[in-house]
Amino acid sequence: MTDATVNADATAFAGTGEAIIKVENMDKFFGDFQALKNINMNVGHKEVVVVIGPSGSGKSTLIRCINRLEQHDAGRIVVDGIELSDDIRNIQEIRKETGMVFQSFNLFPHLSIIDNITLAPRQVRRMPKAEAEELAMELLTRVKIPEQAQKFPGQLSGGQQQRVAIARALAMRPKVILFDEPTSALDPEMIKEVLDTMKDLANEGMTMICVTHEMGFAREVADRVVFMADGEVVEVGTPDHFFDNPQEARTRLFLSQIL
Amino acid sequence: MRLAIYFVVAAVALFGWRFLRDVTTKRDTSNRPPPWRDVRVLAVGIQVVAVGILFLLGSWLWDNFNTRTDDIGLDPFDFAFLDQPSGISIADSDLNPNSPISSALRNGVKNTFLTIVVGIPLSVLFGTLIGISRLSENWLLSKIATGYVEFFRNIPPLLIIVFTWSVFLTGFPPERESWEIGDLFIFNNKRFAGPSIASQENFVAYRWLMLAALALAAVVWVVRTRLFDRTGTPHRRVLWSLGTFVGIGVIGYVALGQPFRFSTPDIVERVYEGGVKMQMPYAAGVFALTLYTASHIAEIVRGSILSVDRGQVEAGNALALSGFQRYRFVVLPQAFRVAFPPLINQFLNFTKNTSLFVAIGFAEITSISINLFGQSRPAPQILFIVMGIYLTFSLVLSTIGNLINGRLAIAGR
Ligand SMILES: Nc1ncnc2c1ncn2[C@@H]1O[C@H](COP(=O)(O)OP(=O)(O)OP(=O)(O)O)[C@@H](O)[C@H]1O
Ligand SMILES: [Mg+2]
């Protein structure tokens, strides 16, 4: 097998029209260490991209650059036509359009579930309280825990907390949601409920980038799978291609280790 | 006396035995360990022994005290002396050597209280600013704050107080050459004076009116907030509430025929007229203790902000909260919960440290009691009273603190 047959181009996206996320020639350094090397990647409307790769390969760093939790050092990132630059206004605009779900939930422990969800819509979108609460209840119903609205994060199970975190991200009505290993901190019996919520979202047409080790999820939901190693995009393909017929040696090694 | 001891010991023993019996009968006794290894018996046993020892020690001391006072012919332990003339005079008060000791003590309590109500809020304000500055990305600011904290935290407060006092004493001019700022402020090395409000006719009515205005302003605040919550109309509640309050204030002032006037201080023939005045040692003491306490509070504030998980800031950022909103709604509420218990501690320390003002001659409760010893007043009784007073201050502070702390607790944590 030659390198020529490996598809490492993450710029071709499913669907038509403009890509909603464009990453061009992006580098990211931590001190002298280069965590991301010349990343090129596009994500189309309503596309679900799953990013996989060994630990330390730069998956988190990649999606954290997209909403400026990390600052990229070279190249361009454009989200929904807005270029991510040092302009605070652009950063805020992009953050309004991109929700994020963290591995460790990061709910606000001092606020009730409903306040967790309504905080950003009320403060950032200036939504009236009544409207925000109505929206929050709607979202809680969607993630199937409306009865928990008045509780506090510490009183919920991990799976419930992560579903609240998803509702919180949705409350800003983002165009994209970034997931960074949303099920890695969960007990096995709770993983399913979170994955089901994510599947529902995907089926409803939400644009998503998911870093995850859940291969079943990737296979079922992903439009494209991106495999990263050592800060580079190594191989890109549909789930079928990816799991049945991986080309690159590193991909196969990785898949053999986790499957 | 002996009888009392036997009685107490018997009561403790009885109580302990009944407790043990309850403990042992509540559960199935088939596989209980021997008593000396039973954790429940041990837990109760230790407490019974501790209380017993405490009582024995206390009554031994009390016995001793009575025997000794009898031997050297001191007055019995009672509080009749409180009505006798104090023999001391207190600056800037109506008290003279003929006023009873109880009034002198009361005046001391008042002065201690005045240092606390001014000093503690100032310490919190200043300490918070320093603490936040230390976390600032501005290199100079953060280094200055660090230097400040390291300096004041490591010097005995008594030294800071005496030093500040001597700076004030030599830095400010004598009374004859007082510095005056306009007609409003007077500074010299004895007293500082400033403008105040002097009551005129109808002042009492005006005070009630303003209290009502305050309540109305609060109502306006709530109404505007509710309206905003329902419809999203900008609430502008600060403007509305302030407008209500000031509006009523002005109308009332006119309608009640000028119920107050501003009074400016003046020194006429070495007597202060008008305005409010404070003694220089008070100002120096509060200033010094504020510097000292603020350095501790700064560390508490810094530590509590650092204790908030980084993920919280990231979640706030990911939700597009602004820097201010992130602080206001995410970081500070969590930091405050961490800071609160040690802050209460600092309030208690401030209160206790005001006793050091004895060194610079400010008539707070400790220096008054020490003055009274100089008049051969009974030290044990006075010390009891003074300890009781500090204990009361501390208990009030910590009770308020615990109430607030309980309300702050995060559910499920
Ligand atoms: N704040 C940081 N400072 C220095 N190095 C960092 C920082 N964050 C990440 N790195 C390094 O960058 C590389 C990529 O990290 P990243 O967290 O993106 O990996 P990942 O693919 O998400 O791994 P995992 O599966 O373990 O989450 C790693 O080598 C990591 O040590
Ligand atoms: Mg990661």
Side-chain angles (χ1 to χ4, degrees), chain A residues 74-126:
Chain A
R76 266 162 45 95
I77 297 176
V78 180
V79 180
D80 197 27
I82 309 162
E83 166 133 23
L84 187 57
S85 61
D86 287 335
D87 185 344
I88 183 95
R89 176 127 47 97
N90 285 12
I91 296 175
Q92 289 302 88
E93 286 307 315
I94 287 178
R95 283 175 174 168
K96 283 183 200 169
E97 304 306 338
T98 48
M100 185 158 204
V101 176
F102 300 86
Q103 178 175 346
S104 49
F105 325 140
N106 292 349
L107 293 179
F108 305 130
H110 59 297
L111 297 179
S112 66
I113 298 306
I114 190 134
D115 289 345
N116 262 277
I117 299 175
T118 56
L119 177 67
R122 288 181 64 193
Q123 298 303 327
V124 179
R125 295 246 191 252
R126 296 276 155 213

Side-chain angles (χ1 to χ4, degrees), chain A residues 59-61 103 180-181 211:
Chain A
K59 309 179 297 289
S60 301
T61 309
Q103 178 175 346
D180 191 358
E181 304 197 28
V211 175

